[in-house]
Amino acid sequence: MIQHILTWPDPELKKKSAPVVVINDKIRQLVMDMTETMYDAPGIGLAAPQLGALQRVVIIDVSGKEEPPELIVAINPIIIHAEGESYEEEGCLSVIKYAANVRRHASVVVKALNLDGEEQTHRAEGLLAVAFQHEIDHLDGILFVDHLSPLKREIFKRKQRRMTEAS
Ligand code: NI
């Protein structure tokens, strides 16, 4: 089922998510809800805490409209290697009408479990590498706007405040 996505400054988004201990029906349902919600939004990634579920689960699909969907489900993901630098524009389904460039690693190697509980190694670069770093940040209560310089963060906050006052 499509779920409501929490948005900044919801305090739930700042919480740390717990590792998944067993991949049971509850986790499978969570992944299904996340998938429906992400494609509906639409977005290229979603982390469980964005739906208020404080579990270390992320999904990513950077294949775009033209390609067949390529959904990655990463449970308890850990970045085991990172290198290079990238500075690309990011947005987030939890941050309305705002995008900014964020410093990230250009490539990462991520270890995670899939829905069958099998350990997988994802070697990612470009957009996929950024997506992994962005989504794994969510599991630690970090949003992309937390990476901005103090000045840019202040501008972001003022913009959001103006938007909420206007609506
Ligand atoms: Ni996000």
Side-chain angles (χ1 to χ4, degrees), residues 17-24 27 30 55-57 75-76 113:
S17 293
V20 172
V21 182
V22 235
I23 299 169
N24 52 19
I27 295 296
L30 172 64
Q55 304 263 16
R56 299 190 81 83
V57 179
I75 298 169
N76 300 342
L113 301 177

Side-chain angles (χ1 to χ4, degrees), residues 45-47 50 91-95 134-135 138 142-144:
L46 192 71
Q50 292 179 274
C92 178
L93 294 175
S94 292
V95 178
H134 177 120
E135 299 311 330
H138 273 298
I142 299 165
L143 299 181
F144 80 94

Side-chain angles (χ1 to χ4, degrees), residues 1 68 76 80-81 88 93 96-97 104 129 142 149 156:
M1 236 170 54
N76 300 342
I80 56 166
H81 185 75
E88 295 295 324
L93 294 175
I96 295 161
K97 286 186 184 158
R104 301 280 190 190
I142 299 165
S149 68
F156 160 72

Side-chain angles (χ1 to χ4, degrees), residues 28 36-37 61 70 91 105 110 131 141 143 147:
R28 279 185 280 271
E36 280 184 55
T37 305
D61 184 350
E70 241 177 80
H105 290 290
V110 177
L143 299 181
H147 290 289

